[in-house]
Amino acid sequence: MGGLLFGYDLGITGGVTSMEPFLVKFFPSVYKQMKDESSHESQYCKFDNELLTLFTSSLYLAALVASFFASTTTRMLGRKTSMFLGGLFFLVGALLNGFAVNVEMLIIGRLLLGFGVGYCNQSVPVYLSEMAPAKIRGALNMGFQMMITIGILAANLINYGTSKLENGWRISLGLGAVPAVMLCVGSLFLGDTPNSLIERGQREAAKKMLQKIRGVENVDEEFQDLIDACEASKKVEHPWKNITSPKYKPQITFCSLIPFFQQLTGINVIMFYAPVLFKTLGFGDEASLISAVISGGVNVVATLVSIFSVDKFGRRILFLEGGVQMFLSQMAVGAMIAWKFGVSDEGSFTKGQANLLLFFICTYVAAFAWSWGPLGWLVPSEICSLEVRSAGQAINVAVNMLFTFFIAQVFLAMLCHLKFGLFFFFAGFVVVMTIFIALFLPETKNVPIEEMSKVWKSHWFWTKVVPDDVADNDRKAVQES
């Protein structure tokens, strides 16, 4: 449900901001500019409005702030408490948006939605990584990304259905309360993770939970590993300071750069501005929403591919293949827009050309959905040891939300000024991030979280950075257990 909330908001926003009744009520200047045929405003600049982009991006700024509070909550009160609070924030925010009567009410609602997203994105990936056995940790954790894609698709379908209604935008925004209620209620029936229970001194409850989720009585070896990890974490008085020490340089590097690169793939341009983007490129009102539904459906199917392949083929191969496919797709999209629109904004797509453009966008979405989408949440959540896990995940969420905010805030202005060059801009970053993964990310499939340190010592680069005693202590602990 935590992923569903995030995905629903990503998908719903672009559709709502392309609905004319919504624009008339809250952003009349954008509506007037869009309808003014006498204006010489560029096709690329139809929706370039700072207040409109603030409506979209304010959520991610709030999520950035919330992620730091959520880190403390997740560590001290448990993962399920953070999930409950995330659902509660999202519920209130969705209701405020659904009943909004002015822009101020909209923005306040968006900020509360952001707190909900921040709490859920902090706690849910950690919860899944800690509950899952190492052999299926990748597939189970990718359930989070799967729910994000389902949320996006559901939002696109709802937008298509409500676009013909006078106050359809209220229904689209208000329905976010449904998954929020489901998350709040569901979290009450969840058990907390063994790691979290041990961290809070509840060892007996932790052992029972471990026996329950593993389905066997003899869990002594794994349980002792968790206790050892917890004892090590208790010696760390300041996890935020500790994660900057040399032994955690790989973790802080990937927890910072993976979400940074994830946003600079340009995916959220497609996800939360899809209807606006398609409308800008000459698709009609209905066609733009249908196109968003199609790309959302591809997103769901492609995420299924990653669930069934991540623990078989590993993380690196999905990252690398996805990077190559995204680059080629973005170059094709940019070339088509340059060919038809150029910089003078004159031209249009035929039906066949529009379908070809949609095909390239879908191949791009598919590549992201089985690579940087799910792996952007999986890898940071599985590489951090217990003593810095909350801090590492907070950094992951904060960087993700910071650059989601940045891209959301400047995208429409960038589209207006860079025109088709925007897609070449993102393609360039895809090249950089693919090379980064090829050189610096070791394979982490089937490696228990508590033994992750030995991965760094076997890597050509990180072995020069991570102190020798880290891996030695890890091997010693494994031998003793």
Side-chain angles (χ1 to χ4, degrees):
M1 283 300 112
L4 188 67
L5 296 182
F6 189 28
Y8 185 83
D9 183 81
L10 283 174
I12 214 71
T13 308
V16 166
T17 52
S18 70
M19 293 181 187
E20 292 185 2
F22 178 81
L23 293 175
V24 169
K25 185 171 182 64
F26 297 108
F27 306 98
S29 62
V30 177
Y31 177 76
K32 184 179 178 182
Q33 179 176 301
M34 186 178 69
K35 288 297 183 181
D36 187 2
E37 295 183 3
S38 65
S39 172
H40 297 290
E41 190 72 62
S42 168
Q43 185 85 349
Y44 294 109
C45 303
K46 276 184 178 181
F47 293 89
D48 184 18
N49 179 275
E50 288 186 7
L51 192 59
L52 181 61
T53 53
L54 180 63
F55 165 71
T56 300
S57 60
S58 57
L59 180 148
Y60 306 103
L61 189 61
L64 164 64
V65 175
S67 63
F68 294 104
F69 292 102
S71 171
T72 302
T73 305
T74 302
R75 187 178 70 253
M76 298 183 66
L77 301 179
R79 286 51 165 159
K80 61 178 288 184
T81 301
S82 279
M83 287 189 276
F84 176 80
L85 289 174
L88 196 60
F89 279 124
F90 203 93
L91 172 61
V92 177
L95 292 176
L96 278 176
N97 275 185
F99 291 105
V101 294
N102 53 45
V103 173
E104 291 77 13
M105 198 169 171
L106 271 181
I107 300 297
I108 291 171
R110 292 288 291 173
L111 292 174
L112 288 171
L113 290 174
F115 268 84
V117 167
Y119 267 81
C120 289
N121 286 3
Q122 162 73 23
S123 55
V124 174
V126 171
Y127 184 90
L128 292 172
S129 288
E130 291 181 345
M131 292 294 262
K135 289 184 179 180
I136 61 168
R137 185 176 65 241
L140 190 59
N141 198 290
M142 281 185 173
F144 180 71
Q145 178 67 19
M146 185 69 196
M147 294 307 292
I148 291 178
T149 63
I150 290 173
I152 292 170
L153 178 60
N156 289 333
L157 289 169
I158 288 168
N159 278 336
Y160 179 67
T162 60
S163 62
K164 301 176 180 63
L165 304 176
E166 180 64 27
N167 287 311
W169 61 269
R170 291 192 183 276
I171 298 173
S172 291
L173 294 175
L175 280 176
V178 175
V181 169
M182 294 172 68
L183 177 62
C184 286
V185 174
S187 64
L188 297 176
F189 295 95
L190 287 176
D192 222 328
T193 69
N195 311 62
S196 179
L197 291 168
I198 292 171
E199 198 172 25
R200 291 178 288 137
Q202 302 175 38
R203 292 194 177 185
E204 284 302 315
K207 188 169 186 178
K208 289 179 181 178
M209 177 57 68
L210 190 60
Q211 291 170 333
K212 181 179 179 181
I213 61 178
R214 298 294 181 257
V216 294
E217 287 296 314
N218 186 9
V219 293
D220 293 344
E221 184 175 344
E222 184 177 1
F223 185 62
Q224 188 58 48
D225 286 344
L226 295 179
I227 291 176
D228 292 343
C230 183
E231 291 301 321
S233 73
K234 286 181 178 179
K235 296 176 183 177
V236 179
E237 295 182 9
H238 305 289
W240 287 100
K241 182 180 179 181
N242 201 64
I243 200 172
T244 61
S245 66
K247 77 181 277 192
Y248 295 114
K249 277 189 178 178
Q251 287 87 339
I252 197 170
T253 298
F254 288 108
C255 284
S256 301
L257 289 183
I258 284 180
F260 167 73
F261 283 137
Q262 187 189 52
Q263 292 312 307
L264 286 169
T265 60
I267 187 62
N268 282 339
V269 167
I270 302 296
M271 290 298 102
F272 52 59
Y273 282 127
V276 171
L277 180 62
F278 288 129
K279 210 168 180 179
T280 297
L281 297 176
F283 290 61
D285 290 355
E286 188 168 307
S288 67
L289 289 170
I290 291 175
S291 299
V293 169
I294 292 171
S295 61
V298 170
N299 198 14
V300 173
V301 174
T303 304
L304 279 173
V305 173
S306 68
I307 289 175
F308 290 108
S309 59
V310 67
D311 289 315
K312 183 176 182 181
F313 300 111
R315 284 63 162 152
R316 280 175 53 85
I317 190 66
L318 292 180
F319 265 130
L320 298 177
E321 191 284 331
V324 172
Q325 187 173 323
M326 280 193 294
F327 171 75
L328 294 175
S329 300
Q330 283 174 315
M331 292 298 289
V333 170
M336 283 193 70
I337 296 172
W339 172 48
K340 278 298 179 180
F341 286 89
V343 295
S344 61
D345 185 35
E346 294 178 2
S348 61
F349 288 115
T350 65
K351 185 177 180 181
Q353 291 165 347
N355 288 337
L356 181 60
L357 179 72
L358 178 60
F359 169 77
F360 284 127
I361 288 175
C362 285
T363 60
Y364 161 74
V365 169
F368 178 86
W370 62 53
S371 62
W372 280 90
L375 295 174
W377 295 105
L378 169 62
V379 172
S381 72
E382 70 179 359
I383 62 174
C384 292
S385 52
L386 185 61
E387 61 265 28
V388 293
R389 192 167 300 153
S390 292
Q393 185 64 10
I395 291 170
N396 179 36
V397 174
V399 173
N400 191 296
M401 292 302 119
L402 175 62
F403 284 93
T404 304
F405 168 78
F406 175 75
I407 295 297
Q409 189 65 26
V410 304
F411 165 66
L412 293 177
M414 288 176 72
L415 180 63
C416 181
H417 293 94
L418 293 180
K419 300 176 171 55
F420 61 84
L422 180 62
F423 295 93
F424 298 144
F425 170 82
F426 286 125
F429 270 102
V430 170
V431 173
V432 173
M433 64 185 73
T434 303
I435 293 172
F436 169 76
I437 291 296
L439 291 177
F440 298 111
L441 181 69
E443 184 55 66
T444 58
K445 74 168 184 176
N446 296 337
V447 180
I449 295 178
E450 281 66 36
E451 298 176 25
M452 198 64 70
S453 59
K454 66 184 180 182
V455 172
W456 311 118
K457 292 306 297 179
S458 62
H459 187 266
W460 73 272
F461 177 78
W462 296 116
T463 190
K464 304 171 187 176
V465 177
V466 177
D468 292 333
D469 64 323
V470 173
D472 292 339
N473 290 340
D474 185 72
R475 279 192 292 269
K476 183 179 178 182
V478 172
Q479 289 169 359
E480 288 175 353
S481 63

